[in-house]
Amino acid sequence: MRISIAAFVLAGALMMGAIARAADQPADPVSVLKSGASFLEKEAACRTLSTRPSPEAVPVLAGLLTDEKLSHMARYALEPMLYPEAGQALRDALGKTSGRLRVGVINSLAIRKDEQAVPELLKLLPGESEVARAVAVALGVIATPDAEKALSDAIVQAPISQGRLNALCDGLLGCAERHAIKGEKDQAIAIYDRLLQIANTSSQVQIGALRGAVLSRGAEQGLPLLVERLGGENADAFIAALRVSRELGSNRNLAAALAGVLPNLPPERKVRILDVFGDKDGEAAGEAALALANDGPVDVRVVALRALTRMGYTPALKLVSQLAWAEDEKLAEAARDSLAYGYGKDGDAALEALLQSDQTKARRVAVELIGRGGLDNPVALLMKVAGADADEAVRVAALDGLHDRAGIEELAGLLDTVVKGRSAPELKAAESTLAALCERQKQMPGAIVIQKAVYGDLTPGAPTADVLAQVSRMVSAGAPSIEATNANFGEPAPGVVKQLRVDYTENGAPISKTVKEGETLKFTVGAAPVTLVDAFCGAFAQAQGEPKLSMLRLLGTTGSPKAFDIVRTASSGEGAIKETALRTLCEWPTPDALPVLMELAKTSPDEGMKVLALRGAVRLSGQSAASPAENLE
């Protein structure tokens, strides 16, 4: 009895599996098309047949070619089918459809390049209808001799609308392209030349015909055609010639031909042609472009300067150097871009020569361009200018150019500029550059070096884990902080709240921080290297007047305990020194200033200073190692 029940259960399971498999299999698409299925289901069936064709599907799909909703999808399925019956179905549909559906059938026959359809298509070629225009294009795709002859004959008939003319021309373009592909160059050229002689064709036809005529002949023999249209009055022909010129790319003879037509063109066309020249065209077209850059409408001169830069035409450097400090701002900016980013070593030499000019504006422009990246290694040159140029504006420009480049080697020279304090603008520029230098030095690779890292129960004798390797790896990867979690360091002491203690050096200064499990230990590089701090301290001792105030502010950028002590002492002074020192403490970058700022926020007689001190204290509390509760208190 048990065996019978087991067999029955097994048979049921097998039957259910077979039913499930049958349900999973897609329905036969032909059956779906024959059924009363929904539009979406029949659309999906046609998509299936386009990739999984079936001879049995052809008659069914043929019946749908006259269906307003499904004709498109039926053609989609029939187009890729290699069966002769599929082509016949589409040809038969020409006589059964009209309007939009007939146009669709014509397009499908063109996609299939169905030569057997040409006789029937020729019957539909006459007329001004949308169908006739679709036939013209299709005949050009199929491109049999009969199709080509019919298109050629139709194009000379009058009267003819613009739409029909363009369609017939499109068809002939297709025939010409078919000849070109087959290597029948003369036949292709004959059609292209004929199309070029037809007036009032679309710009697409003009471009296609000119492109074909030039490329079929080759760049050399096709140049006269380009030149003729570039200098002619027809705007569409000019655009077509311009497009073909771009496609031909760098070619010495082409560049010379383009340069030859430049002088006689209106300004807007000169601009378009100048944009065509490439980096290898300088020898052939440089002189013509230089003439345009030297005189004429400003817009043309600007584009000519850019073209000369692209060509690397070095004879233009004399003019470029002059225009770099011209009164016209558009010209000057184009020339400056050329000097800063073009001409390679020759441009570098021209830029350095501009520094020797007896014109202050010229030297200032040169310094600004060098600061923008005009030279590969400009620091030494900018330092020289900052210290020796006779004009204050030039010296300030040099200091500004050093802002993002100066390194520790320039420290002494920049401090000397501050201490001397020749002018307020120089003092401001030098202070800004030194502050940026200090920030870069703080973030130099190796600023933070992990000495020891332990995670666990830090009570003496309790279990801990040495996590030096993990912490060092995180810091090396650029992590600004580390979470004290088991996910990072495992579980060395189950059942207790663990701690993470990290001993490290920050630019050589020893630091130790401890946080509880779940908290974050922050590595904020707050202190500059000792050598920089010592240099700042020495300059502060030497400086007098406004330079001393600048040095106080610069000491505040270091985040150094030594600098902090100097600034705090200065805050007990009088006048501008006291005011500057207090404001510097309010902006101090490390939590060392937190106790001083809290006291200042409570006791300062100056209400404005109280506000600054409180803001600074709130900012620094987020960097301190204190708990949130301690910070809140």
Side-chain angles (χ1 to χ4, degrees):
M1 184 65 178
R2 284 182 183 173
I3 295 175
S4 300
I5 293 174
F8 178 78
V9 171
L10 178 60
L14 292 173
M15 183 180 296
M16 292 300 293
I19 293 172
R21 286 193 299 275
D24 288 341
Q25 291 179 357
D28 173 44
V30 176
S31 300
V32 172
L33 293 177
K34 290 179 177 179
S35 71
S38 68
F39 168 76
L40 290 177
E41 290 171 324
K42 290 186 176 183
E43 183 182 50
C46 289
R47 292 186 187 278
T48 301
L49 289 169
S50 71
T51 57
R52 290 164 47 197
S54 165
E56 294 78 15
V58 173
V60 181
L61 292 169
L64 296 176
L65 290 174
T66 56
D67 187 298
E68 286 287 341
K69 291 184 177 180
L70 285 168
S71 178
H72 172 73
M73 291 308 302
R75 292 190 293 103
Y76 181 79
L78 286 168
E79 283 170 7
M81 289 186 181
L82 301 179
Y83 314 122
E85 295 87 350
Q88 187 63 54
L90 288 166
R91 292 192 293 273
D92 291 344
L94 284 173
K96 302 175 183 178
T97 54
S98 62
R100 182 177 59 84
L101 295 188
R102 180 177 278 180
V103 168
V105 172
I106 292 167
N107 292 339
S108 292
L109 290 167
I111 290 172
R112 290 175 63 88
K113 292 185 171 58
D114 191 337
E115 296 187 2
Q116 295 181 52
V118 169
E120 292 301 317
L121 291 174
L122 292 179
K123 297 175 184 178
L124 302 174
L125 181 60
E128 294 286 350
S129 67
E130 183 182 0
V131 169
R133 290 195 290 271
V135 167
V137 176
L139 289 172
V141 175
I142 300 171
T144 63
D146 289 343
E148 182 180 331
K149 183 178 185 308
L151 291 168
S152 297
D153 292 343
I155 212 165
V156 298
Q157 296 174 3
I160 187 170
S161 70
Q162 186 67 52
R164 178 167 172 78
L165 174 64
N166 289 333
L168 293 169
C169 289
D170 281 339
L172 281 175
L173 277 175
C175 294
E177 289 169 6
R178 191 74 174 268
H179 284 305
I181 290 171
K182 294 165 67 175
E184 298 166 352
K185 185 175 73 170
D186 292 341
Q187 293 93 318
I189 290 174
I191 296 176
Y192 290 132
D193 286 351
R194 182 181 180 190
L195 291 172
L196 288 174
Q197 300 305 314
I198 299 175
N200 302 322
T201 55
S202 67
S203 59
Q204 290 87 346
V205 171
Q206 286 283 332
I207 291 170
L210 183 61
R211 177 183 180 277
V214 172
L215 296 182
S216 295
R217 285 177 167 86
E220 305 304 322
Q221 295 181 16
L223 280 180
L225 284 173
L226 283 180
V227 172
E228 177 188 346
R229 278 156 180 78
L230 288 170
E233 295 183 0
N234 187 297
D236 287 339
F238 173 80
I239 293 172
L242 201 65
R243 286 273 298 271
V244 176
S245 299
R246 290 183 185 279
E247 189 171 348
L248 289 173
S250 291
N251 176 291
R252 182 174 179 178
N253 291 336
L254 172 63
L258 295 177
V261 301
L262 272 174
N264 300 320
L265 295 177
E268 61 274 13
R269 289 198 178 186
K270 288 177 180 176
V271 168
R272 300 287 295 273
I273 289 182
L274 284 167
D275 274 338
V276 174
F277 291 123
D279 58 355
K280 297 181 178 65
D281 295 333
E283 186 176 345
E287 186 175 348
L290 180 56
L292 294 179
N294 195 51
D295 188 37
V298 170
D299 288 345
V300 175
R301 296 179 71 185
V302 167
V303 177
L305 285 171
R306 292 173 183 160
L308 289 164
T309 306
R310 196 162 56 246
M311 297 176 196
Y313 188 63
T314 54
L317 276 170
K318 181 178 179 181
L319 175 63
V320 171
S321 298
Q322 293 170 353
L323 293 177
W325 50 287
E327 293 298 326
D328 188 288
E329 194 54 38
K330 289 178 70 174
L331 275 175
E333 189 59 32
R336 290 169 194 168
D337 287 342
S338 294
L339 276 179
Y341 308 118
Y343 295 103
K345 295 298 182 183
D346 292 315
D348 293 351
L351 198 51
E352 292 179 17
L354 202 59
L355 274 178
Q356 311 305 318
S357 172
D358 57 359
Q359 298 292 320
T360 300
K361 185 176 181 180
R363 298 199 307 278
R364 186 169 70 247
V365 166
V367 171
E368 289 172 355
L369 294 179
I370 292 170
R372 279 164 50 178
L375 296 180
D376 289 337
N377 300 297
V379 174
L381 185 57
L382 289 173
M383 283 296 296
K384 180 180 178 182
V385 173
D389 197 275
D391 185 78
E392 175 193 285
V394 177
R395 298 195 300 271
V396 170
L399 290 168
D400 289 339
L402 288 162
H403 185 276
D404 297 325
R405 293 180 174 83
I408 205 73
E409 297 82 3
E410 288 70 52
L411 177 60
L414 291 170
L415 286 174
D416 186 58
T417 301
V418 172
V419 172
K420 287 179 179 177
R422 284 196 283 191
S423 69
E426 282 179 90
L427 187 59
K428 181 180 179 181
E431 180 183 333
S432 175
T433 297
L434 280 166
L437 188 158
C438 181
E439 288 304 315
R440 285 195 296 277
Q441 290 298 314
K442 288 181 187 179
Q443 304 298 334
M444 292 292 285
I448 293 177
V449 178
I450 307 300
Q451 307 290 336
K452 183 178 180 181
V454 179
Y455 180 67
D457 185 347
L458 299 187
T459 305
T464 60
D466 182 352
V467 293
L468 174 63
Q470 296 97 308
V471 173
S472 297
R473 185 168 58 251
M474 293 177 184
V475 171
S476 297
S481 60
I482 294 176
E483 291 186 37
T485 62
N486 295 342
N488 281 332
F489 306 116
E491 175 59 286
V496 300
V497 177
K498 291 164 283 296
Q499 292 178 293
L500 172 66
R501 184 176 68 222
V502 180
D503 300 335
Y504 62 98
T505 60
E506 179 186 284
N507 280 322
I511 298 175
S512 181
K513 287 185 179 180
T514 302
V515 295
K516 293 179 182 179
E517 181 181 354
E519 295 179 348
T520 299
L521 190 150
K522 298 178 181 178
F523 294 105
T524 303
V525 181
V530 173
T531 53
L532 185 145
V533 175
D534 288 344
F536 277 16
C537 293
F540 173 74
Q542 296 176 37
Q544 299 295 326
E546 287 295 325
K548 201 169 192 72
L549 302 183
S550 288
M551 288 313 308
L552 268 176
R553 289 188 288 268
L554 286 170
L555 286 171
T557 65
T558 66
S560 159
K562 179 179 179 180
F564 178 73
D565 290 340
I566 292 175
V567 176
R568 183 169 56 178
T569 301
S571 69
S572 301
E574 298 293 336
I577 288 288
K578 179 177 182 177
E579 174 78 10
T580 304
L582 286 173
R583 289 180 175 273
T584 299
L585 289 173
C586 291
E587 297 174 2
W588 201 262
T590 68
D592 296 335
L594 189 52
V596 176
L597 294 185
M598 287 303 299
E599 183 63 26
L600 190 60
K602 297 175 188 176
T603 63
S604 175
D606 185 333
E607 290 299 323
M609 192 60 67
K610 278 186 175 182
V611 171
L612 292 176
L614 185 57
R615 286 175 179 169
V618 171
R619 172 177 53 81
L620 292 177
S621 67
Q623 300 178 25
S624 72
S627 67
E630 291 169 333
N631 282 331
L632 184 59
E633 182 182 354

